[in-house]
Amino acid sequence: MIKIVNLHKFFDHKHILKNINLEIEEGEVVALIGPSGSGKSTLIRCINYLEEPTSGEIYIMGRNIGNLGKKIDEVRKAIGMVFQHFHLFPHKTVLENITLAPNLTKKQSKEEAEKKAIKLLETMDLLDKKDAYPTSLSGGQKQRIAIARALAMDPEIMLFDEATSALDPEMVGEVLNVMKDLAKTGMTMVVVTHEIAFAKQVADRVIFMADGEIVEENVATEFFENPQNPRTKEFLSRVLEY
Amino acid sequence: MNLVRLFVEYKDYYITGIKITLLLSLLSLIIGTSLGSLLSLFKLSKLKILRLISTFYIELVRGTPIMVQIALVYFGSYVIMGVNMDAFLAALIAVSLNSAAYVAEIIRSGIQSVDKGQWEASRSLGLTNGQTMRYIILPQAVKNILPALGNEFVTLIKETSVASTIGVAELMYTSKIVQSTSYQPFNPLIIVAVTYFIFTFTLSQLIGLLERRLAHND
């Protein structure tokens, strides 16, 4: 589904990603963890080319996305992304936020897109907010709308970039539950997260990054029960301390 | 009242002056805004050469007085190209080119003030650059652009008075004529000030109205 080969990324002279090689299968849920500044956000942003790699290749469903030029939009339609700060469109209602992209890029009729959006809002338990503007919503509600907006495109892959990091603690659960349900449907997911418990429960595989490198990766149970690398051990002991 | 009598006595002059001022303002507003929009896109372009051109242009215009610019167009057209340019046309070109530089900066900063995350969210959904600009960025940028653009339009109306220096028979020029024919140095100035004020005040009220309407659906 996703294949990353010898990926490097520099910001000016800073080496952010160092020779990343990674393969993610269809239906797999992969959690990316690591200290801040380790490059995990940059890596996930490279997957839909919001960040352009300095060198290396990224294949999405067999297509090398580095040489697509303007056709990158085709690939992006198949990759949903959820951001830390939601980035809902403040001048559009909740319903318009969700229907805009399918309507514009998939040429879905307004009715068709709305029908789908209403169904998504129902599953998120937010149907009563369909005509509200984003400013009137709580953080947890905003993030669930943002997930619905991405899902309205029927993506093959979902990327979550610290989707719960900007939320008040009491709202983290409602968003994680939506993500958990999504994982059960067989969606391919890449999740950058600080929620270790979530990674443990939901992820099939956990990847630990530090200083722009993949330090360790393993199936989730093995990863947490039996970490190999000293840096992984140190990181886990620190985040699991409390 | 002395002022009213003076205005009525010279009303033909004044009406011509008002017409020319309004025409000059309206035309340069349209041309200046169109050209300014284009320049702002240049400034936001990925191509360095386009960015350089617009930066150079904007700095040049902002760094020189409009009175000099208007004289440069009027006399320069003769000296450089041998064309005897109509004074109104010269004023129109100078004021439009001047306004374009300011409008470009206003639009650029309005667009850049929209959170970068809006671009990313939109592009991640598969919208093209153009669709993102049109459906996501511009509608949000307008709210930042409009107040500053209103200021610029008010300034533009006032600056058309500089056209009097090259003999365009607009409002300020009319006022000078009335001053010298009526032997009254002061009252014509009051009339001209009040007239400019009526124009600019009406315009800023209209823009205020538009702003409030836009703020409504927030």
Side-chain angles (χ1 to χ4, degrees):
Chain A
M1 201 72 168
I2 305 172
K3 189 178 172 194
I4 298 173
V5 185
N6 300 334
L7 181 72
H8 287 268
K9 174 73 186 175
F10 286 86
F11 281 126
D12 295 324
H13 293 292
K14 261 185 97 182
H15 205 167
I16 304 293
L17 292 176
K18 299 168 188 165
N19 199 31
I20 302 289
N21 285 283
L22 181 62
E23 232 175 295
I24 294 170
E25 300 298 324
E26 189 173 347
E28 217 183 349
V29 177
V30 174
L32 272 176
I33 64 170
S36 44
S38 58
K40 45 193 198 310
S41 277
T42 309
L43 175 59
I44 200 175
R45 289 160 57 83
C46 281
I47 294 176
N48 66 353
Y49 240 63
L50 282 184
E51 219 65 80
E52 204 173 312
T54 311
S55 68
E57 285 117 53
I58 299 170
Y59 298 88
I60 305 290
M61 295 176 277
R63 294 173 88 176
N64 183 347
I65 62 171
N67 46 32
L68 285 179
K70 284 200 166 160
K71 283 195 185 135
I72 185 69
D73 296 326
E74 294 300 315
V75 174
R76 282 182 176 148
K77 284 182 211 170
I79 307 177
M81 186 159 198
V82 178
F83 300 86
Q84 181 178 359
H85 296 288
F86 332 123
H87 301 325
L88 292 178
F89 307 133
H91 59 301
K92 304 258 177 215
T93 65
V94 165
L95 196 65
E96 289 166 345
N97 261 277
I98 301 173
T99 56
L100 179 84
N103 193 223
L104 278 179
T105 67
K106 292 194 144 182
K107 306 283 173 235
Q108 273 183 22
S109 72
K110 224 176 160 189
E111 294 75 42
E112 209 180 330
E114 273 180 16
K115 224 169 106 189
K116 170 113 209 212
I118 284 169
K119 229 164 137 191
L120 281 164
L121 284 171
E122 262 170 0
T123 59
M124 303 276 171
D125 206 15
L126 284 170
L127 191 56
D128 55 323
K129 300 286 181 197
K130 77 177 167 63
D131 296 317
Y133 282 90
T135 37
S136 66
L137 304 175
S138 75
Q141 290 171 332
K142 281 183 196 166
Q143 197 60 298
R144 283 185 286 152
I145 303 290
I147 295 172
R149 178 177 68 178
L151 289 176
M153 292 295 289
D154 288 319
E156 305 278 337
I157 299 165
M158 283 287 285
L159 309 175
F160 292 85
D161 189 3
E162 303 203 20
T164 58
S165 299
L167 296 176
D168 288 338
E170 79 268 22
M171 292 170 184
V172 171
E174 63 189 68
V175 173
L176 290 181
N177 280 334
V178 170
M179 291 165 65
K180 211 185 280 180
D181 291 343
L182 189 61
K184 281 184 205 147
T185 66
M187 176 68 75
T188 310
M189 289 164 65
V190 185
V191 185
V192 171
T193 186
H194 292 292
E195 304 289 334
I196 299 298
F198 176 80
K200 232 179 200 170
Q201 264 186 54
V202 182
D204 300 311
R205 185 151 54 113
V206 180
I207 293 171
F208 174 68
M209 287 183 73
D211 295 327
E213 290 172 300
I214 294 179
V215 174
E216 184 166 352
E217 58 177 310
N218 212 332
V219 287
T221 42
E222 266 301 289
F223 180 90
F224 289 108
E225 275 162 28
N226 197 9
Q228 302 296 316
N229 192 293
R231 293 172 79 179
T232 317
K233 286 180 193 167
E234 195 204 333
F235 177 77
L236 285 178
S237 75
R238 240 185 283 158
V239 291
L240 294 173
E241 207 169 301
Y242 293 100
Chain B
M1 256 211 28
N2 200 357
L3 280 173
V4 177
R5 220 182 310 128
L6 189 70
F7 184 80
V8 173
E9 196 182 336
Y10 291 96
K11 73 170 188 313
D12 290 344
Y13 288 91
Y14 278 118
I15 286 169
T16 312
I18 286 170
K19 272 189 195 156
I20 292 180
T21 290
L22 287 182
L23 190 67
L24 184 58
S25 302
L26 184 71
L27 289 179
S28 24
L29 188 146
I30 293 168
I31 300 171
T33 308
S34 318
L35 205 61
S37 310
L38 191 71
L39 273 173
S40 74
L41 292 181
F42 276 22
K43 191 135 191 197
L44 293 167
S45 162
K46 277 186 194 143
L47 294 175
K48 201 171 175 191
I49 177 79
L50 292 182
R51 288 205 305 274
L52 271 175
I53 290 172
S54 70
T55 305
F56 179 74
Y57 178 81
I58 289 165
E59 292 306 322
L60 201 68
V61 169
R62 291 203 302 187
T64 49
I66 187 163
M67 201 183 269
V68 175
Q69 293 165 4
I70 223 166
L72 276 174
V73 174
Y74 186 53
F75 301 114
S77 59
Y78 184 74
V79 175
I80 296 169
M81 295 182 293
V83 192
N84 223 334
M85 195 183 274
D86 176 59
F88 180 83
L89 186 62
L92 178 60
I93 291 172
V95 176
S96 302
L97 290 180
N98 178 279
S99 183
Y102 290 92
V103 169
E105 276 301 90
I106 289 165
I107 294 178
R108 178 200 58 79
S109 72
I111 288 172
Q112 283 184 334
S113 69
V114 177
D115 180 15
K116 213 172 133 244
Q118 294 288 311
W119 279 100
E120 295 186 344
S122 176
R123 298 307 303 273
S124 80
L125 286 164
L127 270 70
T128 63
N129 209 37
Q131 287 172 328
T132 301
M133 194 63 148
R134 175 164 165 208
Y135 295 101
I136 307 298
I137 304 301
L138 281 182
Q140 295 182 60
V142 162
K143 279 172 204 163
N144 304 319
I145 291 172
L146 208 56
L149 208 55
N151 274 339
E152 169 54 25
F153 292 164
V154 165
T155 307
L156 184 146
I157 292 181
K158 292 185 290 181
E159 281 185 342
T160 56
S161 62
V162 179
S164 64
T165 58
I166 55 168
V168 178
E170 45 70 75
L171 201 49
M172 190 63 211
Y173 188 82
T174 307
S175 175
K176 285 180 192 168
I177 303 253
V178 175
Q179 273 177 320
S180 55
T181 17
S182 68
Y183 303 110
Q184 294 192 45
F186 187 67
N187 284 344
L189 284 175
I190 298 289
I191 292 175
V192 82
V194 168
T195 317
Y196 275 116
F197 181 78
I198 291 170
F199 295 160
T200 54
F201 187 72
T202 312
L203 182 67
S204 58
Q205 288 306 103
L206 282 176
I207 286 173
L209 202 72
L210 199 60
E211 267 173 55
R212 279 193 293 281
R213 185 160 299 173
L214 277 176
H216 202 64
N217 50 23
D218 241 344

